[in-house]
Amino acid sequence: MAHILVRKYSGGTTRFTAVIRIKRDGKIIHREARTFSQRGAAEKWAKHREVSLEEPDAIAREQVGAPTLRALIRWYIDNFSSVSKWQRSKQAHLELLERHPFTDRNSFKLTAQDLVNHVRERRENAAGPATVANDLVWLGVVLRAARSVRGLPVNPGVIEEARDACRALRLTGKARRRTRRPTADELQKLDEFFRHRDRRGDIPMRDIMWFAIHFARRQAEICRIAWRDNNERHRTGIVRDAKHPTAKDGNDRTFKYTPDAWAIVCRQPRTSEFVFPHDPRSVSAAFTRACHVLGIENLRFHDLRHEATSRLFEAGYQIHEVAQFTLHDSWNELKRYANLKPENVRALPTPRVRQTPDSTISRFSGGGGATEQGLLFEDLASPVGHRH
């Protein structure tokens, strides 16, 4: 049973300490206390805490000790990474959180205030609004797993509370749309650099770079395109387990090769089951290193996917046709990659002018305006054509 200790201090203030002792077989197996400035608050906390400790295994959990957020993150990675087969970005973010000093705290006592302060400090250290929003996403995933799988008394609800507060305070937000495309001069420099490099390297970076520009696929997908999945007659291929927010396993998608991409495939040696049998991380590292050597700033390998998609639109393909190359499911997703340049937008044919009888003009125009001269414009814009 709980009892309240009253302490009076020299300054005239009074504090009330609620003390809880739980005995079994004549021995104290659990003891805890908390001090308040009001007796009512102390009594309320003591009653609530006594009820909580009556739950099955509650005392055992208290005796073992509450795990830190860091321990829960490591448990989650060790138990679910191989089963869920998540992407490298999620793995990297979880490991970043695992190393962060913030995750030293008691997972049972985590509050929304703790999370908001963490987000604010991350923003002050130059983390972007979308990055810190992902902190809350992955912490929420870990807490929900700990509660449902291990039965730990964590509170995933504090994540949603913190998310609402951070959104209102503009600490979190969506990622900025990336519009970076390589210039013709940058591509020429990279082409020349890789032409010399490939003579002594194992990865044909020159072909991979141009393949990415004509292929519109991610680097991991490029490295697992299999010869057996290519259809020479239709010039199509299959991406196995294509990236998807909820259903990656078994999400095999058929795509269309552009003529340039198909030509690059055909000149690769068949030394493996894959067209480009290389580690995608090595491909990314080689591209980043080349940009560093050449002084090319703020260009990533994934930007080549933006370049490829934009070139397809500039070549005249329509939205539903571009999706057959890029495998985007909707225009909302696809438009993030369509970074068109005004100078490359194709010109539509000039509208043709035809003569009409004056009587027709008077009936429909009401007189006046350009139609008094007997001219109507007919929009004869042809359907979108193809260059490939």
Side-chain angles (χ1 to χ4, degrees):
M1 296 294 294
H3 64 280
I4 308 299
L5 297 177
V6 181
R7 292 186 174 91
K8 294 184 177 181
Y9 297 91
S10 58
T13 59
T14 303
R15 292 289 183 267
F16 303 88
T17 301
V19 181
I20 296 176
R21 293 189 184 95
I22 297 177
K23 290 184 177 181
R24 285 182 185 172
D25 300 327
K27 296 181 179 180
I28 296 177
I29 62 172
H30 179 73
R31 177 176 177 167
E32 62 180 293
R34 182 171 293 187
T35 301
F36 299 86
S37 60
Q38 300 292 330
R39 175 182 286 273
E43 292 174 346
K44 183 177 180 180
W45 174 84
K47 291 179 181 179
H48 175 77
R49 189 65 183 134
E50 284 180 329
V51 172
S52 299
L53 291 172
E54 290 178 359
E55 296 180 2
D57 301 327
I59 298 297
R61 290 198 298 267
E62 290 293 331
Q63 291 174 338
V64 171
T68 63
L69 280 174
R70 174 177 288 111
L72 290 185
I73 292 171
R74 175 42 53 188
W75 164 80
Y76 178 75
I77 293 173
D78 291 342
N79 286 271
F80 296 99
S81 60
S82 59
V83 178
S84 300
K85 298 180 180 179
W86 54 58
Q87 297 291 323
R88 287 191 298 119
S89 58
K90 178 178 178 178
Q91 179 75 17
H93 206 120
L94 285 170
E95 291 177 349
L96 182 147
L97 288 171
E98 184 185 17
R99 296 189 300 269
H100 198 281
F102 171 76
T103 55
D104 282 332
R105 65 192 61 237
N106 187 326
S107 61
F108 293 175
K109 299 179 180 179
L110 183 67
T111 66
Q113 181 182 2
D114 294 332
L115 293 164
V116 173
N117 287 334
H118 164 71
V119 169
R120 180 178 55 79
E121 290 172 3
R122 288 265 282 148
R123 289 301 310 275
E124 290 174 352
N125 291 322
T131 300
V132 294
N134 280 333
D135 282 11
L136 298 179
V137 169
W138 300 130
L139 287 173
V141 168
V142 170
L143 291 179
R144 287 193 294 272
R147 183 165 185 168
S148 59
V149 178
R150 295 179 59 180
L152 296 178
V154 295
N155 182 16
V158 298
I159 299 293
E160 191 62 33
E161 185 180 348
R163 184 182 290 117
D164 291 341
C166 290
R167 192 181 298 119
L169 294 169
R170 297 186 179 180
L171 294 173
T172 59
K174 295 182 179 180
R176 293 181 180 178
R177 179 182 172 186
R178 189 169 175 83
T179 59
R180 178 70 159 94
R181 292 178 62 179
T183 65
D185 181 61
E186 289 171 341
L187 289 177
Q188 183 178 358
K189 290 180 179 178
L190 286 167
D191 180 84
E192 185 67 17
F193 179 88
F194 287 136
R195 186 171 65 84
H196 291 287
R197 174 200 173 279
D198 290 352
R199 295 173 184 173
R200 61 183 184 278
D202 297 328
I203 304 176
M205 283 301 301
R206 188 187 186 201
D207 274 352
I208 288 178
M209 181 188 76
W210 287 110
F211 186 69
I213 291 173
H214 296 301
F215 183 51
R217 306 304 318 146
R218 301 174 180 87
Q219 62 197 45
E221 294 169 346
I222 291 174
C223 295
R224 65 172 185 263
I225 295 297
W227 289 107
R228 68 177 183 277
D229 291 332
N230 286 337
N231 186 313
E232 185 174 359
R233 177 183 177 186
H234 299 293
R235 292 186 177 180
T236 60
I238 299 175
V239 173
R240 301 287 180 181
D241 297 330
K243 184 177 180 181
H244 191 275
T246 59
K248 177 177 179 291
D249 289 346
N251 186 35
D252 301 337
R253 304 286 302 277
T254 301
F255 63 88
K256 180 72 174 179
Y257 282 106
T258 64
D260 292 319
W262 182 255
I264 295 174
V265 168
C266 291
R267 66 172 176 254
Q268 301 308 308
R270 297 202 179 203
T271 57
S272 168
E273 62 175 314
F274 300 109
V275 177
F276 295 103
H278 308 287
D279 188 331
R281 289 173 295 185
S282 299
V283 171
S284 178
F287 186 84
T288 302
R289 189 160 46 250
C291 289
H292 177 73
V293 171
L294 297 172
I296 298 175
E297 298 181 355
N298 191 31
L299 184 64
R300 308 169 186 170
F301 188 89
H302 192 73
D303 293 332
L304 302 183
R305 178 164 158 83
H306 290 251
E307 175 69 15
T309 305
S310 300
R311 286 190 177 201
L312 290 169
F313 279 111
E314 291 167 353
Y317 288 101
Q318 298 183 35
I319 295 172
H320 63 281
E321 294 172 314
V322 172
Q324 300 305 309
F325 297 100
T326 66
L327 300 183
H328 286 99
D329 291 325
S330 69
W331 167 237
N332 283 334
E333 296 175 358
L334 182 55
K335 67 182 179 182
R336 293 176 54 244
Y337 289 87
N339 305 315
L340 306 184
K341 296 179 180 178
E343 63 270 22
N344 292 337
V345 175
R346 65 190 183 89
L348 292 173
T350 303
R352 191 174 66 194
V353 179
R354 60 184 174 86
Q355 297 286 340
T356 58
D358 291 342
S359 59
T360 303
I361 298 170
S362 61
R363 276 203 314 271
F364 291 100
S365 69
T371 54
E372 287 185 350
Q373 300 177 8
L375 300 179
L376 288 177
F377 291 96
E378 182 179 16
D379 185 3
L380 298 179
S382 61
V384 177
H386 298 166
R387 294 184 185 175
H388 296 293

